[in-house]
Short mmCIF file of all heavy atoms in Angstrom, two decimals:
data_model
loop_
_atom_site.label_atom_id
_atom_site.label_comp_id
_atom_site.label_asym_id
_atom_site.label_seq_id
_atom_site.Cartn_x
_atom_site.Cartn_y
_atom_site.Cartn_z
N LEU A 1 -32.28 -7.92 6.60
CA LEU A 1 -32.66 -8.26 5.23
C LEU A 1 -34.12 -8.69 5.15
O LEU A 1 -34.87 -8.21 4.29
CB LEU A 1 -31.74 -9.37 4.70
CG LEU A 1 -31.97 -9.82 3.26
CD1 LEU A 1 -31.83 -8.67 2.30
CD2 LEU A 1 -31.00 -10.93 2.92
N ILE A 2 -34.55 -9.55 6.05
CA ILE A 2 -35.94 -10.02 6.04
C ILE A 2 -36.90 -8.87 6.31
O ILE A 2 -37.90 -8.69 5.62
CB ILE A 2 -36.14 -11.17 7.05
CG1 ILE A 2 -35.38 -12.41 6.58
CG2 ILE A 2 -37.61 -11.48 7.25
CD1 ILE A 2 -35.31 -13.52 7.61
N VAL A 3 -36.60 -8.05 7.32
CA VAL A 3 -37.49 -6.93 7.67
C VAL A 3 -37.59 -5.94 6.51
O VAL A 3 -38.69 -5.51 6.14
CB VAL A 3 -37.00 -6.23 8.96
CG1 VAL A 3 -37.72 -4.91 9.18
CG2 VAL A 3 -37.19 -7.15 10.16
N ARG A 4 -36.45 -5.58 5.91
CA ARG A 4 -36.47 -4.62 4.81
C ARG A 4 -37.24 -5.15 3.61
O ARG A 4 -38.04 -4.45 3.01
CB ARG A 4 -35.05 -4.26 4.38
CG ARG A 4 -34.24 -3.48 5.38
CD ARG A 4 -34.56 -1.99 5.44
NE ARG A 4 -34.56 -1.29 4.18
CZ ARG A 4 -33.51 -0.75 3.60
NH1 ARG A 4 -32.33 -0.84 4.16
NH2 ARG A 4 -33.62 -0.12 2.45
N LEU A 5 -37.00 -6.40 3.25
CA LEU A 5 -37.72 -6.98 2.10
C LEU A 5 -39.21 -7.08 2.38
O LEU A 5 -40.03 -6.78 1.50
CB LEU A 5 -37.14 -8.35 1.74
CG LEU A 5 -35.93 -8.35 0.84
CD1 LEU A 5 -35.36 -9.74 0.70
CD2 LEU A 5 -36.26 -7.78 -0.52
N CYS A 6 -39.57 -7.50 3.56
CA CYS A 6 -41.00 -7.61 3.90
C CYS A 6 -41.66 -6.23 3.90
O CYS A 6 -42.80 -6.09 3.45
CB CYS A 6 -41.18 -8.31 5.24
SG CYS A 6 -40.81 -10.07 5.15
N ASP A 7 -40.96 -5.20 4.38
CA ASP A 7 -41.50 -3.84 4.33
C ASP A 7 -41.76 -3.40 2.89
O ASP A 7 -42.81 -2.84 2.57
CB ASP A 7 -40.54 -2.85 5.00
CG ASP A 7 -40.55 -2.94 6.51
OD1 ASP A 7 -41.47 -3.58 7.06
OD2 ASP A 7 -39.63 -2.38 7.14
N VAL A 8 -40.80 -3.66 2.01
CA VAL A 8 -40.95 -3.28 0.60
C VAL A 8 -42.09 -4.06 -0.04
O VAL A 8 -42.94 -3.49 -0.74
CB VAL A 8 -39.63 -3.51 -0.17
CG1 VAL A 8 -39.83 -3.38 -1.66
CG2 VAL A 8 -38.55 -2.55 0.31
N LEU A 9 -42.14 -5.37 0.21
CA LEU A 9 -43.18 -6.20 -0.41
C LEU A 9 -44.58 -5.83 0.09
O LEU A 9 -45.55 -5.94 -0.66
CB LEU A 9 -42.89 -7.68 -0.14
CG LEU A 9 -41.66 -8.26 -0.82
CD1 LEU A 9 -41.41 -9.69 -0.36
CD2 LEU A 9 -41.79 -8.21 -2.33
N SER A 10 -44.69 -5.41 1.32
CA SER A 10 -46.02 -5.09 1.86
C SER A 10 -46.46 -3.68 1.51
O SER A 10 -47.66 -3.38 1.54
CB SER A 10 -46.03 -5.28 3.38
OG SER A 10 -45.15 -4.36 4.00
N SER A 11 -45.55 -2.80 1.15
CA SER A 11 -45.93 -1.40 0.89
C SER A 11 -46.08 -1.07 -0.59
O SER A 11 -46.67 -0.05 -0.93
CB SER A 11 -44.91 -0.45 1.53
OG SER A 11 -43.65 -0.63 0.92
N LEU A 12 -45.58 -1.89 -1.48
CA LEU A 12 -45.63 -1.61 -2.91
C LEU A 12 -46.24 -2.79 -3.66
O LEU A 12 -46.18 -3.93 -3.21
CB LEU A 12 -44.21 -1.36 -3.45
CG LEU A 12 -43.42 -0.21 -2.84
CD1 LEU A 12 -41.98 -0.26 -3.33
CD2 LEU A 12 -44.05 1.12 -3.20
N ARG A 13 -46.81 -2.47 -4.82
CA ARG A 13 -47.29 -3.55 -5.70
C ARG A 13 -46.11 -4.02 -6.53
O ARG A 13 -45.69 -3.36 -7.47
CB ARG A 13 -48.40 -3.03 -6.61
CG ARG A 13 -49.69 -2.79 -5.88
CD ARG A 13 -50.81 -2.42 -6.82
NE ARG A 13 -50.95 -3.46 -7.83
CZ ARG A 13 -51.57 -3.28 -8.99
NH1 ARG A 13 -52.13 -2.14 -9.29
NH2 ARG A 13 -51.66 -4.27 -9.86
N ILE A 14 -45.56 -5.12 -6.15
CA ILE A 14 -44.35 -5.63 -6.79
C ILE A 14 -44.67 -6.94 -7.50
O ILE A 14 -45.33 -7.82 -6.96
CB ILE A 14 -43.24 -5.85 -5.74
CG1 ILE A 14 -42.81 -4.50 -5.20
CG2 ILE A 14 -42.07 -6.59 -6.34
CD1 ILE A 14 -41.71 -4.57 -4.18
N HIS A 15 -44.19 -7.03 -8.74
CA HIS A 15 -44.39 -8.25 -9.51
C HIS A 15 -43.20 -9.19 -9.41
O HIS A 15 -43.29 -10.37 -9.74
CB HIS A 15 -44.63 -7.90 -10.98
CG HIS A 15 -45.87 -7.10 -11.19
ND1 HIS A 15 -47.12 -7.65 -11.14
CD2 HIS A 15 -46.03 -5.78 -11.40
CE1 HIS A 15 -48.02 -6.71 -11.33
NE2 HIS A 15 -47.38 -5.55 -11.49
N GLY A 16 -42.07 -8.68 -8.95
CA GLY A 16 -40.87 -9.49 -8.79
C GLY A 16 -39.75 -8.64 -8.23
O GLY A 16 -39.84 -7.41 -8.19
N VAL A 17 -38.68 -9.31 -7.81
CA VAL A 17 -37.54 -8.63 -7.22
C VAL A 17 -36.28 -9.12 -7.94
O VAL A 17 -36.10 -10.32 -8.14
CB VAL A 17 -37.41 -8.95 -5.71
CG1 VAL A 17 -36.13 -8.36 -5.13
CG2 VAL A 17 -38.63 -8.47 -4.96
N VAL A 18 -35.42 -8.17 -8.33
CA VAL A 18 -34.09 -8.49 -8.85
C VAL A 18 -33.13 -8.09 -7.74
O VAL A 18 -33.12 -6.94 -7.31
CB VAL A 18 -33.78 -7.74 -10.15
CG1 VAL A 18 -32.36 -8.03 -10.61
CG2 VAL A 18 -34.78 -8.11 -11.24
N PHE A 19 -32.32 -9.03 -7.29
CA PHE A 19 -31.48 -8.80 -6.12
C PHE A 19 -30.03 -9.01 -6.46
O PHE A 19 -29.65 -10.02 -7.05
CB PHE A 19 -31.90 -9.76 -4.99
CG PHE A 19 -31.36 -9.38 -3.65
CD1 PHE A 19 -32.11 -8.63 -2.77
CD2 PHE A 19 -30.09 -9.79 -3.25
CE1 PHE A 19 -31.63 -8.27 -1.52
CE2 PHE A 19 -29.60 -9.44 -2.01
CZ PHE A 19 -30.37 -8.67 -1.14
N GLU A 20 -29.19 -8.04 -6.07
CA GLU A 20 -27.75 -8.14 -6.25
C GLU A 20 -27.10 -7.69 -4.95
O GLU A 20 -27.53 -6.73 -4.32
CB GLU A 20 -27.29 -7.22 -7.39
CG GLU A 20 -25.80 -7.18 -7.57
CD GLU A 20 -25.37 -6.26 -8.69
OE1 GLU A 20 -26.14 -5.38 -9.10
OE2 GLU A 20 -24.23 -6.42 -9.15
N ASP A 21 -26.06 -8.38 -4.54
CA ASP A 21 -25.33 -7.98 -3.35
C ASP A 21 -23.85 -8.25 -3.56
O ASP A 21 -23.47 -8.89 -4.53
CB ASP A 21 -25.86 -8.73 -2.11
CG ASP A 21 -25.65 -10.21 -2.21
OD1 ASP A 21 -26.52 -10.91 -2.77
OD2 ASP A 21 -24.61 -10.69 -1.72
N ASP A 22 -23.04 -7.72 -2.67
CA ASP A 22 -21.59 -7.88 -2.79
C ASP A 22 -21.03 -8.90 -1.82
O ASP A 22 -19.82 -8.98 -1.64
CB ASP A 22 -20.90 -6.53 -2.53
CG ASP A 22 -21.19 -5.53 -3.64
OD1 ASP A 22 -21.41 -5.97 -4.78
OD2 ASP A 22 -21.19 -4.33 -3.36
N THR A 23 -21.89 -9.68 -1.18
CA THR A 23 -21.40 -10.67 -0.23
C THR A 23 -21.13 -11.98 -0.95
O THR A 23 -21.49 -12.16 -2.11
CB THR A 23 -22.43 -10.95 0.88
OG1 THR A 23 -23.53 -11.65 0.33
CG2 THR A 23 -22.88 -9.67 1.53
N ARG A 24 -20.50 -12.89 -0.28
CA ARG A 24 -20.32 -14.24 -0.79
C ARG A 24 -20.99 -15.23 0.15
O ARG A 24 -20.60 -16.37 0.25
CB ARG A 24 -18.83 -14.55 -0.92
CG ARG A 24 -18.17 -13.76 -2.01
CD ARG A 24 -16.70 -14.11 -2.11
NE ARG A 24 -16.07 -13.20 -3.02
CZ ARG A 24 -15.56 -12.03 -2.68
NH1 ARG A 24 -15.61 -11.64 -1.43
NH2 ARG A 24 -14.99 -11.26 -3.56
N SER A 25 -22.01 -14.75 0.85
CA SER A 25 -22.66 -15.56 1.87
C SER A 25 -23.87 -16.29 1.31
O SER A 25 -24.79 -15.68 0.77
CB SER A 25 -23.10 -14.66 3.03
OG SER A 25 -23.87 -15.40 3.94
N GLU A 26 -23.85 -17.61 1.47
CA GLU A 26 -24.97 -18.43 1.02
C GLU A 26 -26.23 -18.12 1.82
O GLU A 26 -27.34 -18.38 1.37
CB GLU A 26 -24.61 -19.91 1.15
CG GLU A 26 -25.65 -20.83 0.57
CD GLU A 26 -25.22 -22.29 0.62
OE1 GLU A 26 -24.08 -22.58 0.25
OE2 GLU A 26 -26.05 -23.12 1.02
N ALA A 27 -26.07 -17.53 2.99
CA ALA A 27 -27.22 -17.19 3.83
C ALA A 27 -28.15 -16.23 3.11
O ALA A 27 -29.38 -16.31 3.27
CB ALA A 27 -26.76 -16.59 5.15
N VAL A 28 -27.61 -15.32 2.30
CA VAL A 28 -28.45 -14.39 1.55
C VAL A 28 -29.37 -15.16 0.60
O VAL A 28 -30.57 -14.91 0.52
CB VAL A 28 -27.59 -13.37 0.78
CG1 VAL A 28 -28.46 -12.49 -0.12
CG2 VAL A 28 -26.79 -12.51 1.74
N ALA A 29 -28.81 -16.13 -0.11
CA ALA A 29 -29.61 -16.94 -1.03
C ALA A 29 -30.68 -17.72 -0.28
O ALA A 29 -31.83 -17.82 -0.73
CB ALA A 29 -28.71 -17.89 -1.82
N GLN A 30 -30.34 -18.27 0.87
CA GLN A 30 -31.32 -19.03 1.66
C GLN A 30 -32.46 -18.14 2.14
O GLN A 30 -33.62 -18.55 2.12
CB GLN A 30 -30.63 -19.70 2.84
CG GLN A 30 -29.67 -20.78 2.41
CD GLN A 30 -28.78 -21.28 3.54
OE1 GLN A 30 -28.65 -20.65 4.57
NE2 GLN A 30 -28.15 -22.43 3.31
N ILE A 31 -32.14 -16.91 2.55
CA ILE A 31 -33.18 -15.97 2.99
C ILE A 31 -34.10 -15.61 1.83
O ILE A 31 -35.33 -15.60 1.96
CB ILE A 31 -32.53 -14.71 3.60
CG1 ILE A 31 -31.87 -15.06 4.93
CG2 ILE A 31 -33.56 -13.59 3.78
CD1 ILE A 31 -30.94 -13.97 5.46
N LEU A 32 -33.52 -15.31 0.66
CA LEU A 32 -34.33 -14.94 -0.50
C LEU A 32 -35.20 -16.10 -0.95
O LEU A 32 -36.36 -15.91 -1.34
CB LEU A 32 -33.43 -14.46 -1.63
CG LEU A 32 -32.65 -13.17 -1.36
CD1 LEU A 32 -31.70 -12.88 -2.50
CD2 LEU A 32 -33.58 -12.01 -1.11
N ASP A 33 -34.67 -17.30 -0.89
CA ASP A 33 -35.45 -18.49 -1.25
C ASP A 33 -36.63 -18.64 -0.29
O ASP A 33 -37.77 -18.89 -0.72
CB ASP A 33 -34.55 -19.72 -1.20
CG ASP A 33 -35.24 -21.00 -1.62
OD1 ASP A 33 -35.98 -20.98 -2.63
OD2 ASP A 33 -35.04 -22.02 -0.95
N PHE A 34 -36.40 -18.46 0.99
CA PHE A 34 -37.46 -18.54 2.00
C PHE A 34 -38.53 -17.48 1.76
O PHE A 34 -39.73 -17.78 1.78
CB PHE A 34 -36.85 -18.39 3.40
CG PHE A 34 -37.86 -18.29 4.49
CD1 PHE A 34 -38.52 -19.43 4.95
CD2 PHE A 34 -38.18 -17.07 5.07
CE1 PHE A 34 -39.47 -19.35 5.96
CE2 PHE A 34 -39.12 -16.98 6.08
CZ PHE A 34 -39.77 -18.11 6.53
N ILE A 35 -38.11 -16.25 1.52
CA ILE A 35 -39.07 -15.16 1.29
C ILE A 35 -39.90 -15.43 0.04
O ILE A 35 -41.11 -15.23 0.02
CB ILE A 35 -38.35 -13.80 1.21
CG1 ILE A 35 -37.84 -13.42 2.61
CG2 ILE A 35 -39.28 -12.72 0.67
CD1 ILE A 35 -36.97 -12.18 2.64
N SER A 36 -39.26 -15.91 -1.02
CA SER A 36 -39.99 -16.22 -2.25
C SER A 36 -41.03 -17.32 -2.01
O SER A 36 -42.16 -17.23 -2.48
CB SER A 36 -39.02 -16.65 -3.34
OG SER A 36 -39.71 -17.03 -4.50
N ALA A 37 -40.64 -18.34 -1.26
CA ALA A 37 -41.57 -19.44 -0.98
C ALA A 37 -42.75 -18.97 -0.13
O ALA A 37 -43.89 -19.39 -0.33
CB ALA A 37 -40.84 -20.58 -0.27
N GLN A 38 -42.50 -18.06 0.82
CA GLN A 38 -43.55 -17.60 1.72
C GLN A 38 -44.49 -16.57 1.08
O GLN A 38 -45.66 -16.49 1.44
CB GLN A 38 -42.94 -17.01 2.99
CG GLN A 38 -42.15 -18.00 3.82
CD GLN A 38 -42.99 -19.19 4.26
OE1 GLN A 38 -44.08 -19.03 4.78
NE2 GLN A 38 -42.48 -20.39 4.03
N THR A 39 -43.95 -15.76 0.14
CA THR A 39 -44.75 -14.67 -0.43
C THR A 39 -45.22 -14.93 -1.85
O THR A 39 -46.03 -14.18 -2.37
CB THR A 39 -43.93 -13.36 -0.44
OG1 THR A 39 -42.78 -13.55 -1.28
CG2 THR A 39 -43.51 -12.97 0.96
N SER A 40 -44.69 -15.95 -2.49
CA SER A 40 -44.97 -16.26 -3.90
C SER A 40 -44.52 -15.16 -4.85
O SER A 40 -45.03 -15.04 -5.96
CB SER A 40 -46.46 -16.56 -4.12
OG SER A 40 -46.83 -17.69 -3.37
N VAL A 41 -43.59 -14.33 -4.42
CA VAL A 41 -43.03 -13.28 -5.27
C VAL A 41 -41.78 -13.83 -5.93
O VAL A 41 -40.87 -14.32 -5.24
CB VAL A 41 -42.68 -12.02 -4.44
CG1 VAL A 41 -41.93 -11.01 -5.28
CG2 VAL A 41 -43.94 -11.40 -3.86
N PRO A 42 -41.70 -13.75 -7.26
CA PRO A 42 -40.48 -14.20 -7.94
C PRO A 42 -39.30 -13.31 -7.56
O PRO A 42 -39.41 -12.08 -7.53
CB PRO A 42 -40.80 -14.04 -9.42
CG PRO A 42 -42.27 -13.89 -9.50
CD PRO A 42 -42.72 -13.31 -8.20
N ILE A 43 -38.17 -13.94 -7.26
CA ILE A 43 -36.95 -13.22 -6.93
C ILE A 43 -35.83 -13.77 -7.82
O ILE A 43 -35.68 -14.98 -7.97
CB ILE A 43 -36.57 -13.39 -5.45
CG1 ILE A 43 -37.67 -12.82 -4.54
CG2 ILE A 43 -35.23 -12.70 -5.15
CD1 ILE A 43 -37.42 -13.01 -3.05
N ILE A 44 -35.06 -12.85 -8.42
CA ILE A 44 -33.93 -13.23 -9.26
C ILE A 44 -32.66 -12.74 -8.59
O ILE A 44 -32.50 -11.54 -8.35
CB ILE A 44 -34.05 -12.63 -10.67
CG1 ILE A 44 -35.34 -13.09 -11.34
CG2 ILE A 44 -32.84 -13.00 -11.52
CD1 ILE A 44 -35.64 -12.41 -12.66
N GLY A 45 -31.77 -13.66 -8.25
CA GLY A 45 -30.47 -13.32 -7.67
C GLY A 45 -29.44 -13.24 -8.77
O GLY A 45 -29.24 -14.22 -9.48
N ILE A 46 -28.78 -12.09 -8.93
CA ILE A 46 -27.90 -11.91 -10.09
C ILE A 46 -26.42 -11.81 -9.74
O ILE A 46 -25.58 -11.90 -10.62
CB ILE A 46 -28.31 -10.68 -10.93
CG1 ILE A 46 -28.21 -9.39 -10.13
CG2 ILE A 46 -29.69 -10.87 -11.51
CD1 ILE A 46 -28.42 -8.14 -10.95
#
């Protein structure tokens, strides 16, 4: 998840990310929160 998101963020001009997944794992939210804090890219978990 981290590698794929970082690849996308570094290769495209992105103003924000809308993220949806089918898991019930809080780890996904923690990873997205970390990436948002490190990159300053807004992320919306839906």
Side-chain angles (χ1 to χ4, degrees):
L1 182 58
I2 292 170
V3 168
R4 292 281 309 274
L5 275 173
C6 289
D7 285 347
V8 169
L9 292 174
S10 64
S11 63
L12 301 171
R13 288 186 56 198
I14 293 181
H15 297 284
V17 174
V18 176
F19 195 95
E20 175 181 19
D21 63 273
D22 292 331
T23 70
R24 291 181 188 87
S25 172
E26 186 176 314
V28 174
Q30 293 169 344
I31 290 167
L32 296 174
D33 183 44
F34 173 77
I35 290 173
S36 176
Q38 297 301 312
T39 63
S40 298
V41 172
I43 299 177
I44 301 173
I46 62 172

